[in-house]
Amino acid sequence: MTAEAKTAHPASPPLTERQEARRRRILHASAQLASRGGFDAVQMREVAESSQVALGTLYRYFPSKVHLLVATMQDQLQHMHATVRKRPPSSDLPSERVAETLMRAFRALQREPHLADAMVRALTFADRSVSPEVDQVSRQTTAIILDAMELDDPTPQQLSAVRVIEHTWHSALITWLSGRASIAQVKIDIETVCRLIDLTTPDGQK
Amino acid sequence: MTAEAKTAHPASPPLTERQEARRRRILHASAQLASRGGFDAVQMREVAESSQVALGTLYRYFPSKVHLLVATMQDQLQHMHATVRKRPPSSDLPSERVAETLMRAFRALQREPHLADAMVRALTFADRSVSPEVDQVSRQTTAIILDAMELDDPTPQQLSAVRVIEHTWHSALITWLSGRASIAQVKIDIETVCRLIDLTTPDGQK
DNA sequence: GGCAACTCTGAAACTTGTTCTAGATTACCG
DNA sequence: CGGTAATCTAGAACAAGTTTCAGAGTTGCC
């Protein structure tokens, strides 16, 4: 993968400059409102007004509130990935590097818990109509984790481990966001699941 | 724990017979509608009509749609737990017994995919106001998994593993329900995460 | 420049979750 | 039994996501 770091629309018509700007305004307004009050605070009428776009136009760009928030998440994830790439995790063991990376992401989310709430709730609430977009988020997350592992050619078992790590990551976030798990607990869960990686590296420690 | 297998209301006033019957009718209608069309098909007006109860009454019994569906899930989980107790898993290894139990539950959900959709979506979409109820579901799930492990006194590490297994279970269900993962993939994910248990049993195989 | 197609706007309408109200019913207490 | 408080009912009303539509504005193209 070389330089198609953009949103990677498979076959969407190229947007004009003004359209790109609109899209950007919408995403910005969405993130802003989400930062204030989470999922519920992102109200489509307000997003439209905030981004100076008619409601119908908002729906043309993002066919539902969930689509909008998942796109917002894609946006944030890209930041995250770029950031992590600049300062890669420092531990020796792959499992520890992954845990370190996820904890770094977790701390970033803690700085904007409402935004995290909006994005994660949208992600898990998404139905089939949003599958492509959610899948894209999932691929992006996988890429970040694989980066942290620093493997050129992961085995199927390692890919399975990564899947399970993602599952745990999402679900642990939800328990944290809904107040059913502490930050410390999420940390433990992440560290626990990351040990799965050690199981799959032939020359790992016991 | 002896016989308080009921819904375990901490301090709710005892319901009269007719009230208990109403509650039951509501839960039944909810499950019925959910079985047809999933989360979206459970419409509060329809639930009310179906269970021959006024809308206001429905909301007195269950303060939101999510509360209602989470209660529905509690109900179903109890069935499940009772069923599993009757025929416990047969494998030798704890990790395999857990995987076997979860796969059995998964097959049960496959028989009613729409109902599964409604319950799981509600569970992960629940906000803080539903935390107690969601927590109850989580405890019930933990109990089922611990039962499968057949341990009298789980270590903290083992409890951590169980937490991660639950995370994976919920998240894998979501990916399946939204069509982003196949049944086979869910099976792999469950089997993968269950190997965490082997990591925590001192006399397990490598 | 001028036109055809597409896009955007503003506003109303529709849907479904949730709340509220006024009046009937029921449950409980003396 | 009679009364009173709690509960239930029917229905309107409200909130926010989504859809629709007529008209104005842009864009691409000749």
Side-chain angles (χ1 to χ4, degrees):
Chain A
M1 48 193 73
T2 49
E4 76 291 50
K6 273 305 180 76
T7 331
H9 290 255
S12 48
L15 300 181
T16 71
E17 202 164 321
R18 304 184 55 183
Q19 287 176 321
E20 190 57 51
R22 264 190 212 105
R23 195 186 130 88
R24 213 108 279 301
R25 282 207 308 279
I26 293 174
L27 285 176
H28 185 256
S30 166
Q32 185 122 347
L33 287 170
S35 298
R36 286 220 211 313
F39 189 88
D40 294 330
V42 180
Q43 302 194 352
M44 299 305 268
R45 287 173 177 84
E46 280 203 48
V47 173
E49 189 177 356
S50 248
S51 48
Q52 303 193 275
V53 135
L55 193 54
T57 307
L58 171 53
Y59 273 94
R60 172 186 280 271
Y61 279 71
F62 302 97
S64 78
K65 174 170 172 171
V66 168
H67 280 86
L68 170 58
L69 285 172
V70 170
T72 304
M73 175 142 210
Q74 288 181 357
D75 214 40
Q76 304 288 316
L77 256 191
Q78 253 162 269
H79 275 228
M80 165 63 55
H81 199 171
T83 305
V84 172
R85 279 214 162 127
K86 269 190 215 124
R87 266 194 322 111
S90 58
S91 304
D92 293 329
L93 256 61
S95 61
E96 286 177 9
R97 281 198 299 276
V98 172
E100 191 183 335
T101 301
L102 291 181
M103 281 308 293
R104 206 187 285 179
F106 185 33
R107 277 188 291 274
L109 292 180
Q110 285 171 48
R111 268 174 246 128
E112 296 284 359
H114 287 307
L115 177 58
D117 171 76
M119 297 189 306
V120 174
R121 296 262 293 286
L123 207 62
T124 60
F125 191 58
D127 66 358
R128 298 180 112 84
S129 71
V130 205
S131 283
E133 288 80 1
V134 175
D135 229 39
Q136 161 75 12
V137 167
S138 178
R139 271 194 301 278
Q140 183 93 7
T141 308
T142 304
I144 292 177
I145 295 176
L146 285 177
D147 266 19
M149 290 173 70
E150 294 178 16
L151 297 174
D152 326 274
D153 192 32
T155 67
Q157 288 179 5
Q158 287 170 328
L159 289 177
S160 287
V162 170
R163 287 181 60 89
V164 170
I165 289 172
E166 276 187 59
H167 287 320
T168 302
W169 166 244
H170 283 140
S171 176
L173 281 182
I174 288 178
T175 59
W176 168 63
L177 288 168
S178 62
R180 301 196 324 276
S182 64
I183 292 176
Q185 185 66 73
V186 171
K187 186 163 191 280
I188 292 175
D189 291 350
I190 289 176
E191 286 164 354
T192 300
V193 74
C194 282
R195 288 211 267 143
L196 263 182
I197 294 177
D198 298 332
L199 267 187
T200 65
T201 50
D203 53 334
Q205 49 32 300
K206 165 48 196 288
Chain B
M1 48 192 73
T2 49
E4 75 291 48
K6 274 304 180 76
T7 330
H9 290 255
S12 48
L15 300 181
T16 71
E17 202 163 322
R18 305 183 55 185
Q19 287 176 321
E20 191 56 50
R22 265 190 213 106
R23 196 185 130 85
R24 213 109 278 302
R25 282 206 308 278
I26 293 173
L27 284 176
H28 184 257
S30 166
Q32 185 122 347
L33 287 171
S35 297
R36 288 223 208 311
F39 188 89
D40 294 331
V42 181
Q43 303 194 353
M44 298 304 268
R45 287 173 178 80
E46 280 203 49
V47 172
E49 189 177 354
S50 247
S51 48
Q52 303 194 278
V53 136
L55 193 54
T57 306
L58 171 53
Y59 272 94
R60 171 185 281 272
Y61 280 71
F62 302 96
S64 78
K65 174 170 171 172
V66 168
H67 279 87
L68 170 58
L69 285 172
V70 170
T72 304
M73 174 142 209
Q74 287 180 358
D75 214 39
Q76 304 288 317
L77 257 189
Q78 254 162 267
H79 275 227
M80 166 64 55
H81 198 170
T83 305
V84 172
R85 278 216 162 123
K86 267 190 217 124
R87 266 196 320 114
S90 58
S91 305
D92 293 329
L93 257 60
S95 60
E96 286 177 9
R97 280 199 298 276
V98 172
E100 190 182 335
T101 301
L102 292 182
M103 281 308 295
R104 205 187 287 181
F106 184 35
R107 277 189 290 275
L109 292 181
Q110 286 171 49
R111 268 174 247 127
E112 297 285 359
H114 288 306
L115 177 58
D117 171 77
M119 298 190 305
V120 174
R121 296 263 293 286
L123 207 63
T124 61
F125 191 59
D127 65 358
R128 298 178 112 83
S129 71
V130 205
S131 283
E133 288 80 2
V134 175
D135 230 39
Q136 161 76 10
V137 167
S138 177
R139 271 195 300 279
Q140 184 94 8
T141 308
T142 304
I144 292 177
I145 295 176
L146 285 177
D147 267 18
M149 291 173 70
E150 293 178 17
L151 297 173
D152 326 277
D153 192 31
T155 67
Q157 289 180 4
Q158 287 170 328
L159 289 177
S160 287
V162 171
R163 285 182 60 89
V164 170
I165 290 172
E166 274 187 61
H167 287 321
T168 302
W169 166 244
H170 283 140
S171 178
L173 281 183
I174 288 178
T175 59
W176 168 63
L177 288 168
S178 62
R180 303 197 321 277
S182 65
I183 291 176
Q185 185 65 74
V186 171
K187 185 163 191 279
I188 292 175
D189 291 351
I190 289 176
E191 286 164 355
T192 300
V193 74
C194 282
R195 289 211 267 142
L196 262 183
I197 294 177
D198 298 331
L199 267 187
T200 66
T201 51
D203 54 332
Q205 50 30 301
K206 167 54 197 294

